[in-house]
Coordinates of all heavy atoms in Angstrom, one line a residue:
M30 N 101.8 97.3 121.8 CA 101.4 97.2 120.3 C 101.2 95.7 120.3 O 101.8 94.8 120.7 CB 102.6 97.6 119.5 CG 102.5 97.2 118.1 SD 104.0 97.5 117.1 CE 103.5 99.1 116.4
K31 N 100.1 95.3 119.5 CA 99.8 94.0 119.3 C 100.6 93.4 118.2 O 100.7 93.9 117.2 CB 98.3 93.9 118.9 CG 97.7 92.5 118.9 CD 96.2 92.6 118.8 CE 95.8 91.1 118.8 NZ 94.4 91.0 118.7
N32 N 100.9 92.1 118.4 CA 101.7 91.3 117.3 C 100.8 90.9 116.2 O 99.9 90.0 116.4 CB 102.4 90.1 118.1 CG 103.2 89.2 117.0 OD1 103.2 89.6 115.8 ND2 103.9 88.2 117.7
T33 N 101.0 91.3 115.0 CA 100.1 91.1 113.9 C 100.5 89.8 113.2 O 99.8 89.4 112.4 CB 100.1 92.3 112.9 OG1 101.5 92.5 112.5 CG2 99.6 93.5 113.5
D34 N 101.6 89.2 113.6 CA 102.1 88.0 113.0 C 101.5 86.8 113.7 O 101.5 85.6 113.3 CB 103.5 87.8 113.1 CG 104.3 88.9 112.2 OD1 103.7 89.5 111.2 OD2 105.4 89.3 112.6
S35 N 100.8 87.0 114.7 CA 100.3 85.9 115.5 C 99.1 85.3 114.9 O 98.2 86.0 114.2 CB 99.8 86.4 116.9 OG 99.2 85.4 117.6
T36 N 98.9 83.9 114.8 CA 97.7 83.3 114.3 C 96.6 83.1 115.4 O 95.5 82.7 115.0 CB 98.2 82.0 113.7 OG1 98.7 81.1 114.9 CG2 99.2 82.1 112.6
S37 N 96.8 83.5 116.6 CA 95.9 83.4 117.6 C 95.9 84.6 118.5 O 96.9 85.2 118.7 CB 96.2 82.1 118.5 OG 95.3 81.9 119.6
P38 N 94.7 85.0 119.0 CA 94.7 86.2 119.8 C 95.6 85.9 121.1 O 95.7 84.9 121.6 CB 93.2 86.5 120.1 CG 92.7 85.1 119.9 CD 93.5 84.4 118.9
E39 N 96.1 87.2 121.7 CA 96.9 87.0 122.9 C 96.1 86.6 124.1 O 96.5 85.7 125.0 CB 97.4 88.3 123.3 CG 98.6 88.7 122.2 CD 99.1 90.1 122.5 OE1 99.1 90.6 123.7 OE2 99.8 90.6 121.6
F40 N 94.7 86.9 124.2 CA 93.9 86.5 125.2 C 92.7 85.8 124.5 O 92.1 86.3 123.7 CB 93.4 87.7 126.0 CG 92.5 87.3 127.1 CD1 92.9 86.7 128.3 CD2 91.0 87.3 126.9 CE1 92.0 86.3 129.3 CE2 90.2 87.1 128.0 CZ 90.7 86.5 129.1
I41 N 92.4 84.6 125.1 CA 91.2 83.7 124.6 C 90.2 83.8 125.6 O 90.5 83.3 126.7 CB 91.8 82.4 124.1 CG1 92.8 82.5 123.0 CG2 90.6 81.5 123.7 CD1 93.6 81.2 122.8
H42 N 89.0 84.2 125.2 CA 87.9 84.1 126.1 C 87.4 82.8 126.4 O 87.7 81.8 125.5 CB 86.7 84.9 125.6 CG 87.2 86.4 125.4 ND1 87.1 87.3 126.4 CD2 87.6 87.1 124.3 CE1 87.5 88.5 126.0 NE2 87.8 88.4 124.8
I43 N 86.8 82.4 127.4 CA 86.3 81.1 127.7 C 85.5 80.4 126.5 O 85.8 79.3 126.1 CB 85.4 81.0 129.0 CG1 86.2 81.4 130.2 CG2 84.9 79.7 129.2 CD1 87.4 80.6 130.7
G44 N 84.6 81.1 125.9 CA 83.8 80.6 124.9 C 84.8 80.3 123.5 O 84.5 79.3 123.0
E45 N 85.7 81.1 123.3 CA 86.6 80.8 122.3 C 87.6 79.6 122.5 O 87.8 78.8 121.7 CB 87.4 82.0 122.0 CG 86.8 83.3 121.5 CD 87.6 84.5 121.3 OE1 88.7 84.5 121.8 OE2 87.1 85.5 120.8
R46 N 87.9 79.4 123.8 CA 88.6 78.2 124.2 C 87.9 77.0 124.0 O 88.3 76.0 123.5 CB 89.2 78.3 125.6 CG 89.9 77.3 126.2 CD 91.2 77.2 125.5 NE 92.2 78.1 125.8 CZ 93.4 78.2 125.2 NH1 93.7 77.6 124.2 NH2 94.2 79.2 125.7
V47 N 86.5 76.9 124.4 CA 85.7 75.8 124.0 C 85.6 75.5 122.6 O 85.7 74.4 122.1 CB 84.3 76.0 124.6 CG1 83.4 75.0 124.2 CG2 84.4 76.2 126.1
Q48 N 85.6 76.6 121.7 CA 85.5 76.4 120.3 C 86.8 75.8 119.8 O 86.8 74.9 118.9 CB 85.2 77.7 119.4 CG 83.8 78.3 119.7 CD 83.7 79.6 119.2 OE1 84.7 80.3 118.9 NE2 82.3 80.0 118.8
Q49 N 88.0 76.3 120.3 CA 89.3 75.7 120.0 C 89.4 74.3 120.3 O 89.9 73.4 119.5 CB 90.4 76.5 120.5 CG 90.7 77.8 119.9 CD 91.8 78.7 120.6 OE1 92.2 78.4 121.6 NE2 92.3 79.6 119.8
L50 N 88.9 74.0 121.6 CA 88.9 72.5 122.0 C 88.1 71.6 121.0 O 88.4 70.6 120.6 CB 88.4 72.3 123.3 CG 88.3 71.1 124.0 CD1 89.6 70.2 123.8 CD2 87.9 71.0 125.4
D51 N 86.7 72.1 120.6 CA 86.0 71.5 119.8 C 86.6 71.3 118.5 O 86.5 70.1 117.8 CB 84.6 72.1 119.6 CG 83.8 72.0 120.8 OD1 84.0 71.2 121.7 OD2 82.9 72.8 120.9
M52 N 87.2 72.2 117.9 CA 87.9 72.2 116.6 C 89.1 71.2 116.7 O 89.2 70.4 115.8 CB 88.6 73.5 116.2 CG 89.2 73.5 114.9 SD 90.6 74.5 114.6 CE 91.6 74.3 116.0
L53 N 89.8 71.1 117.7 CA 90.9 70.2 117.9 C 90.4 68.8 118.0 O 91.1 67.9 117.4 CB 91.7 70.5 119.2 CG 92.9 69.6 119.5 CD1 93.9 69.9 118.5 CD2 93.6 70.1 120.9
L54 N 89.4 68.6 118.7 CA 88.7 67.2 118.8 C 88.2 66.8 117.4 O 88.3 65.5 116.9 CB 87.7 67.1 119.8 CG 88.2 67.4 121.2 CD1 87.1 67.5 122.2 CD2 89.2 66.2 121.7
H55 N 87.6 67.6 116.7 CA 87.1 67.5 115.3 C 88.2 67.0 114.4 O 88.1 66.0 113.6 CB 86.4 68.7 114.7 CG 85.8 68.4 113.5 ND1 84.6 67.7 113.3 CD2 86.2 68.7 112.1 CE1 84.3 67.7 111.9 NE2 85.2 68.2 111.4
V56 N 89.3 67.7 114.4 CA 90.5 67.4 113.5 C 90.9 66.1 113.9 O 91.2 65.3 113.0 CB 91.6 68.5 113.7 CG1 92.8 68.0 113.0 CG2 91.1 69.8 113.1
Q57 N 91.0 65.7 115.2 CA 91.6 64.5 115.5 C 90.6 63.3 115.1 O 91.0 62.3 114.6 CB 91.6 64.4 117.0 CG 92.2 63.1 117.6 CD 91.3 61.9 117.7 OE1 90.0 62.1 117.9 NE2 91.6 60.8 117.2
Q58 N 89.2 63.5 115.2 CA 88.3 62.5 114.8 C 88.1 62.3 113.3 O 88.0 61.1 112.8 CB 87.1 62.8 115.6 CG 85.9 61.7 115.3 CD 84.7 62.0 116.1 OE1 84.5 63.1 116.5 NE2 83.8 61.1 116.0
F59 N 88.2 63.3 112.6 CA 87.8 63.2 111.1 C 88.9 63.4 110.2 O 88.7 63.5 109.0 CB 86.7 64.2 110.9 CG 85.5 63.9 111.6 CD1 85.0 64.7 112.7 CD2 84.7 62.7 111.3 CE1 83.8 64.4 113.3 CE2 83.6 62.5 111.9 CZ 83.2 63.3 113.0
S60 N 90.3 63.4 110.6 CA 91.4 63.6 109.8 C 92.6 62.9 110.3 O 92.6 62.6 111.5 CB 91.6 65.1 109.5 OG 92.3 65.7 110.6
S61 N 93.5 63.0 109.5 CA 94.9 62.3 109.9 C 95.9 63.5 110.1 O 97.2 63.3 109.9 CB 95.4 61.2 108.9 OG 95.5 61.7 107.7
L62 N 95.5 64.6 110.4 CA 96.4 65.8 110.4 C 97.2 65.8 111.7 O 96.6 65.4 112.7 CB 95.6 67.2 110.3 CG 94.8 67.4 109.0 CD1 94.0 68.6 109.1 CD2 95.8 67.5 107.8
L63 N 98.4 66.4 111.7 CA 98.9 66.7 113.0 C 98.6 68.2 113.3 O 98.5 68.9 112.3 CB 100.5 66.7 112.8 CG 101.1 65.3 112.8 CD1 102.7 65.4 112.5 CD2 101.0 64.7 114.1
V64 N 98.4 68.4 114.6 CA 98.1 69.8 115.0 C 99.4 70.3 115.8 O 99.8 69.7 116.7 CB 96.8 69.7 115.9 CG1 96.7 71.2 116.4 CG2 95.8 69.3 115.1
L65 N 99.8 71.5 115.3 CA 100.8 72.2 116.1 C 100.3 73.2 116.9 O 99.6 74.3 116.4 CB 101.9 72.8 115.1 CG 103.0 73.7 115.6 CD1 103.8 72.8 116.6 CD2 103.8 74.3 114.6
L66 N 100.4 73.2 118.2 CA 99.8 74.1 119.2 C 100.9 75.0 119.7 O 101.9 74.5 120.4 CB 99.1 73.4 120.3 CG 98.4 74.2 121.1 CD1 97.2 75.1 120.6 CD2 97.8 73.4 122.3
C67 N 100.9 76.3 119.4 CA 102.0 77.1 119.9 C 101.4 78.4 120.4 O 100.3 78.9 120.0 CB 103.0 77.3 118.8 SG 102.4 78.1 117.3
G68 N 102.1 79.1 121.2 CA 101.7 80.5 121.6 C 102.7 80.8 122.8 O 103.6 80.2 123.1
A69 N 102.4 82.2 123.2 CA 103.2 82.8 124.3 C 103.1 82.0 125.6 O 102.1 81.1 125.8 CB 102.8 84.1 124.4
S70 N 104.1 82.2 126.4 CA 104.0 81.6 127.9 C 102.8 82.0 128.4 O 102.3 83.0 128.3 CB 105.4 81.9 128.5 OG 105.4 81.3 129.8
N71 N 102.2 81.0 129.2 CA 101.0 81.3 130.0 C 99.9 81.6 129.2 O 98.9 82.3 129.6 CB 101.3 82.4 131.0 CG 102.3 81.8 132.1 OD1 102.1 80.8 132.5 ND2 103.2 82.6 132.5
S72 N 99.7 81.1 128.0 CA 98.5 81.5 127.1 C 97.4 80.4 127.1 O 96.5 80.5 126.5 CB 99.0 81.8 125.7 OG 99.6 80.6 125.0
G73 N 97.7 79.3 127.7 CA 96.7 78.2 127.9 C 96.9 77.1 127.0 O 96.1 76.2 127.0
K74 N 98.1 76.8 126.5 CA 98.4 75.7 125.7 C 98.3 74.4 126.4 O 97.6 73.5 125.9 CB 99.9 75.9 124.9 CG 99.9 77.1 124.1 CD 101.5 77.1 123.6 CE 102.5 77.2 124.7 NZ 102.5 78.4 125.5
T75 N 98.9 74.3 127.5 CA 98.9 73.1 128.4 C 97.5 72.7 128.9 O 97.1 71.7 128.8 CB 99.9 73.2 129.5 OG1 101.2 73.5 129.0 CG2 99.9 72.0 130.3
A76 N 96.8 73.7 129.2 CA 95.4 73.5 129.7 C 94.4 73.0 128.6 O 93.6 72.2 128.8 CB 94.8 74.8 130.2
L77 N 94.7 73.6 127.3 CA 93.9 73.2 126.2 C 94.3 71.7 125.8 O 93.4 70.8 125.6 CB 94.2 74.0 125.0 CG 93.5 73.7 123.7 CD1 92.0 73.6 123.8 CD2 93.9 74.6 122.5
L78 N 95.5 71.4 125.9 CA 96.0 70.0 125.7 C 95.4 69.1 126.6 O 95.0 67.9 126.4 CB 97.4 69.9 125.5 CG 98.0 70.3 124.2 CD1 99.6 70.2 124.3 CD2 97.6 69.5 123.1
A79 N 95.5 69.5 128.0 CA 95.0 68.6 129.0 C 93.6 68.4 128.9 O 92.9 67.2 129.1 CB 95.1 69.2 130.4
A80 N 92.7 69.3 128.4 CA 91.3 69.1 128.2 C 91.1 68.1 127.1 O 90.1 67.3 127.1 CB 90.7 70.5 128.0
A81 N 91.8 68.4 126.0 CA 91.6 67.5 124.8 C 92.1 66.1 125.2 O 91.3 65.2 124.8 CB 92.6 68.0 123.7
E82 N 93.1 65.9 125.8 CA 93.7 64.5 126.3 C 92.6 63.9 127.2 O 92.3 62.6 127.0 CB 95.0 64.7 126.9 CG 95.5 63.4 127.3 CD 97.0 63.5 127.9 OE1 97.5 64.5 127.8 OE2 97.4 62.5 128.4
E83 N 91.9 64.7 128.1 CA 91.0 64.1 129.0 C 89.8 63.5 128.1 O 89.3 62.4 128.4 CB 90.5 65.1 129.9 CG 89.4 64.5 131.0 CD 89.1 65.7 131.9 OE1 89.9 66.5 132.4 OE2 87.9 65.9 132.1
R84 N 89.3 64.2 127.1 CA 88.3 63.7 126.3 C 88.6 62.6 125.4 O 87.9 61.6 125.2 CB 87.7 64.9 125.4 CG 86.8 65.8 126.3 CD 86.0 66.7 125.3 NE 85.4 67.9 126.1 CZ 84.8 68.8 125.4 NH1 84.7 68.9 124.2 NH2 84.3 69.7 126.1
L85 N 89.9 62.7 124.8 CA 90.3 61.6 123.9 C 90.7 60.4 124.5 O 90.5 59.3 124.1 CB 91.5 62.3 123.1 CG 91.2 63.3 122.1 CD1 92.5 63.9 121.6 CD2 90.3 62.9 121.0
A86 N 91.2 60.5 125.8 CA 91.7 59.3 126.5 C 90.6 58.3 126.8 O 90.8 57.1 127.1 CB 92.4 59.7 127.7
A87 N 89.3 58.7 126.8 CA 88.3 58.0 127.0 C 88.1 56.8 125.8 O 87.5 55.8 126.1 CB 87.0 58.6 127.2
H88 N 88.5 57.2 124.7 CA 88.2 56.4 123.5 C 89.5 55.9 122.8 O 89.5 55.0 121.9 CB 87.4 57.1 122.5 CG 86.1 57.6 123.1 ND1 85.0 56.9 123.4 CD2 85.9 58.8 123.4 CE1 84.1 57.5 123.9 NE2 84.5 58.8 124.0
L89 N 90.7 56.7 123.1 CA 91.9 56.5 122.2 C 93.0 56.5 123.1 O 93.1 56.9 124.3 CB 92.0 57.6 121.3 CG 90.9 57.8 120.3 CD1 91.1 59.2 119.7 CD2 90.9 56.7 119.2
S90 N 94.1 56.0 122.6 CA 95.4 56.1 123.3 C 96.0 57.5 122.9 O 96.0 57.8 121.7 CB 96.5 55.0 122.9 OG 96.0 53.8 123.2
V91 N 96.4 58.2 123.9 CA 97.0 59.5 123.6 C 98.5 59.5 123.9 O 98.9 59.1 124.9 CB 96.3 60.6 124.5 CG1 96.9 61.9 124.3 CG2 94.8 60.6 124.2
I92 N 99.3 60.0 123.0 CA 100.8 60.1 123.1 C 101.1 61.5 123.0 O 100.9 62.1 122.0 CB 101.5 59.1 122.1 CG1 101.1 57.7 122.4 CG2 103.0 59.2 122.3 CD1 101.7 56.7 121.3
R93 N 101.9 62.0 123.9 CA 102.3 63.4 123.8 C 103.7 63.4 123.3 O 104.5 62.5 123.7 CB 102.4 64.1 125.2 CG 101.1 64.5 125.7 CD 101.2 65.3 127.0 NE 99.9 65.7 127.4 CZ 99.7 66.8 128.1 NH1 100.7 67.6 128.3 NH2 98.4 67.1 128.6
L94 N 104.0 64.3 122.4 CA 105.3 64.2 121.7 C 105.9 65.7 121.8 O 105.2 66.6 121.5 CB 105.1 63.9 120.2 CG 106.3 63.9 119.4 CD1 107.2 62.6 119.7 CD2 105.9 63.9 117.9
D95 N 107.1 65.8 122.3 CA 107.8 66.9 122.5 C 108.6 67.2 121.2 O 109.5 66.5 120.9 CB 108.7 67.0 123.6 CG 109.5 68.2 124.0 OD1 109.4 69.2 123.0 OD2 110.2 68.3 125.0
A96 N 108.1 68.1 120.4 CA 108.8 68.5 119.1 C 110.2 68.9 119.3 O 111.1 68.8 118.4 CB 108.0 69.6 118.4
L97 N 110.6 69.4 120.4 CA 112.0 69.9 120.7 C 112.9 68.7 120.8 O 114.1 68.6 120.5 CB 112.2 70.8 121.9 CG 111.5 72.1 121.7 CD1 111.5 73.0 122.9 CD2 112.1 72.9 120.5
A98 N 112.4 67.6 121.4 CA 113.1 66.4 121.7 C 113.1 65.4 120.5 O 114.0 64.6 120.3 CB 112.6 65.7 123.0
C99 N 112.1 65.5 119.8 CA 111.9 64.6 118.6 C 111.7 65.4 117.4 O 110.6 65.6 116.9 CB 110.7 63.7 118.8 SG 110.8 62.5 120.2
S100 N 112.8 65.9 116.7 CA 112.8 66.7 115.7 C 112.9 66.3 114.4 O 112.8 66.9 113.3 CB 113.7 68.1 115.9 OG 115.0 67.5 116.0
D101 N 113.2 64.9 114.2 CA 113.3 64.3 112.9 C 112.4 63.0 112.9 O 112.0 62.5 113.9 CB 114.7 64.1 112.6 CG 115.4 63.0 113.4 OD1 115.2 62.0 113.3 OD2 116.4 63.5 114.3
E102 N 112.3 62.5 111.7 CA 111.4 61.4 111.5 C 111.8 60.2 112.3 O 111.0 59.5 113.0 CB 111.3 61.0 110.0 CG 110.4 59.8 109.7 CD 110.2 59.6 108.3 OE1 110.7 60.3 107.4 OE2 109.6 58.5 107.9
Q103 N 113.1 59.7 112.2 CA 113.6 58.6 113.0 C 113.5 58.8 114.5 O 113.0 57.8 115.2 CB 115.1 58.4 112.7 CG 115.6 57.1 113.2 CD 114.7 55.9 112.7 OE1 114.4 55.7 111.6 NE2 114.5 54.9 113.6
A104 N 113.7 60.0 115.0 CA 113.4 60.1 116.5 C 112.0 60.0 116.8 O 111.6 59.4 117.9 CB 113.9 61.5 116.8
I105 N 111.1 60.5 115.9 CA 109.6 60.4 116.2 C 109.1 58.8 116.2 O 108.5 58.4 117.0 CB 108.9 61.2 115.2 CG1 109.0 62.7 115.5 CG2 107.3 60.8 115.2 CD1 108.5 63.7 114.4
L106 N 109.7 58.1 115.2 CA 109.5 56.7 115.0 C 109.9 56.0 116.3 O 109.1 55.1 117.0 CB 110.0 56.1 113.8 CG 109.4 56.5 112.6 CD1 110.2 56.0 111.4 CD2 108.0 56.1 112.5
V107 N 111.1 56.3 116.7 CA 111.7 55.6 117.9 C 110.8 55.9 119.2 O 110.6 55.0 120.0 CB 113.2 56.0 118.2 CG1 113.6 55.6 119.6 CG2 114.0 55.4 117.0
Y108 N 110.5 57.2 119.4 CA 109.6 57.6 120.5 C 108.2 56.9 120.5 O 107.8 56.4 121.5 CB 109.5 59.1 120.6 CG 108.7 59.6 121.8 CD1 109.2 59.6 123.0 CD2 107.3 59.8 121.6 CE1 108.5 60.0 124.2 CE2 106.6 60.2 122.7 CZ 107.1 60.4 124.0 OH 106.5 60.7 125.0
L109 N 107.5 57.0 119.2 CA 106.2 56.4 119.3 C 106.2 54.8 119.4 O 105.5 54.2 120.1 CB 105.6 56.6 117.8 CG 105.2 58.1 117.6 CD1 104.7 58.2 116.2 CD2 104.1 58.4 118.5
A110 N 107.4 54.2 118.9 CA 107.5 52.8 119.1 C 107.7 52.4 120.5 O 107.2 51.5 121.1 CB 108.7 52.3 118.4
S111 N 108.6 53.3 121.3 CA 108.8 53.0 122.7 C 107.5 53.1 123.5 O 107.3 52.4 124.5 CB 109.7 53.9 123.3 OG 109.4 55.3 123.3
Q112 N 106.6 54.0 123.1 CA 105.3 54.3 123.7 C 104.3 53.1 123.5 O 103.5 52.8 124.3 CB 104.8 55.7 123.5 CG 105.5 56.8 123.8 CD 105.6 56.9 125.4 OE1 104.6 56.9 126.1 NE2 106.9 56.9 125.8
L113 N 104.5 52.5 122.3 CA 103.4 51.6 121.9 C 103.9 50.2 122.1 O 103.2 49.2 122.0 CB 103.1 51.8 120.4 CG 102.5 53.0 120.0 CD1 102.4 53.2 118.5 CD2 101.0 53.2 120.6
G114 N 105.2 50.0 122.4 CA 105.8 48.7 122.6 C 105.9 47.9 121.4 O 105.7 46.7 121.3
C115 N 106.4 48.6 120.4 CA 106.6 47.7 119.1 C 107.9 48.3 118.5 O 108.8 49.0 118.9 CB 105.4 48.1 118.1 SG 105.4 49.8 117.5
A116 N 108.2 47.6 117.2 CA 109.6 47.9 116.6 C 109.4 49.4 116.0 O 108.2 50.0 115.8 CB 109.7 47.0 115.4
A117 N 110.5 50.0 115.9 CA 110.6 51.4 115.5 C 110.7 51.5 113.9 O 111.6 51.9 113.3 CB 111.9 52.1 116.0
S118 N 109.4 51.1 113.4 CA 109.2 51.4 111.9 C 107.8 51.7 111.7 O 106.9 51.5 112.5 CB 109.5 49.9 111.2 OG 108.4 49.1 111.4
L119 N 107.5 52.5 110.7 CA 106.2 53.0 110.4 C 105.3 51.7 110.2 O 104.1 51.9 110.8 CB 106.3 53.8 109.0 CG 105.1 54.4 108.8 CD1 104.6 55.4 110.0 CD2 105.2 55.4 107.5
A120 N 105.7 50.7 109.6 CA 104.8 49.5 109.5 C 104.3 49.0 110.7 O 103.3 48.6 110.9 CB 105.4 48.6 108.5
A121 N 105.4 48.8 111.7 CA 105.1 48.2 113.0 C 104.1 49.1 113.9 O 103.2 48.7 114.4 CB 106.4 48.0 113.9
I122 N 104.4 50.5 113.8 CA 103.5 51.4 114.5 C 102.0 51.4 114.0 O 101.1 51.4 114.6 CB 104.0 52.9 114.4 CG1 105.4 52.9 115.1 CG2 103.1 53.9 114.8 CD1 106.3 54.2 115.0
E123 N 102.1 51.3 112.6 CA 100.7 51.4 112.0 C 99.9 50.0 112.3 O 98.7 50.0 112.3 CB 100.8 51.5 110.4 CG 101.1 53.0 110.1 CD 101.3 53.1 108.6 OE1 101.5 52.1 107.9 OE2 101.3 54.2 108.1
A124 N 100.6 49.0 112.5 CA 100.0 47.7 112.7 C 99.5 47.6 114.3 O 98.8 46.7 114.6 CB 101.0 46.6 112.6
V125 N 99.8 48.4 115.1 CA 99.5 48.5 116.6 C 97.9 48.8 116.6 O 97.5 49.8 116.0 CB 100.3 49.5 117.4 CG1 99.6 49.5 118.8 CG2 101.8 49.0 117.4
P126 N 97.2 47.8 117.2 CA 95.7 48.0 117.4 C 95.4 49.2 118.2 O 96.0 49.6 119.1 CB 95.2 46.7 118.0 CG 96.2 46.0 118.3 CD 97.6 46.5 117.9

């Protein structure tokens, strides 16, 4: 029985994966949205992120954030600051070039 609560199909064809990657890159380039990528084990989440990171890293700094380890605003600020080498405040993070 197929899970009808899922927002993504259980199996994603190659063409659909390319469309998802394009959408992810478009969201990153033209908005300030956060993207939550979730799915079943072995569904291709890590592969999709690796492909996106490879394309983005040519032009931007890419920071991976584990939502299980950084589940509140302060933990996220501390993690981002440690990756960027700045103070753990939103103002300091936004000031990083």
Side-chain angles (χ1 to χ4, degrees):
M30 175 188 266
K31 188 173 181 175
N32 180 358
T33 57
D34 294 332
S35 178
T36 58
S37 180
E39 291 178 15
F40 178 78
I41 299 172
H42 298 279
I43 297 294
E45 292 173 354
R46 181 62 76 190
V47 170
Q48 289 174 342
Q49 287 182 338
L50 177 58
D51 288 343
M52 181 209 52
L53 184 62
L54 295 172
H55 181 82
V56 166
Q57 182 282 320
Q58 185 175 4
F59 297 107
S60 74
S61 59
L62 297 174
L63 280 176
V64 175
L65 174 63
L66 184 62
C67 56
S70 182
N71 294 317
S72 64
K74 300 177 300 292
T75 302
L77 178 61
L78 282 176
E82 185 174 348
E83 183 178 310
R84 287 197 188 171
L85 293 172
H88 308 287
L89 304 166
S90 296
V91 176
I92 299 174
R93 287 189 181 208
L94 180 75
D95 182 349
L97 295 176
C99 298
S100 59
D101 62 68
E102 183 178 353
Q103 188 57 40
I105 292 170
L106 289 175
V107 168
Y108 181 78
L109 290 176
S111 72
Q112 296 298 304
L113 296 171
C115 66
S118 71
L119 188 54
I122 290 169
E123 288 177 341
V125 173

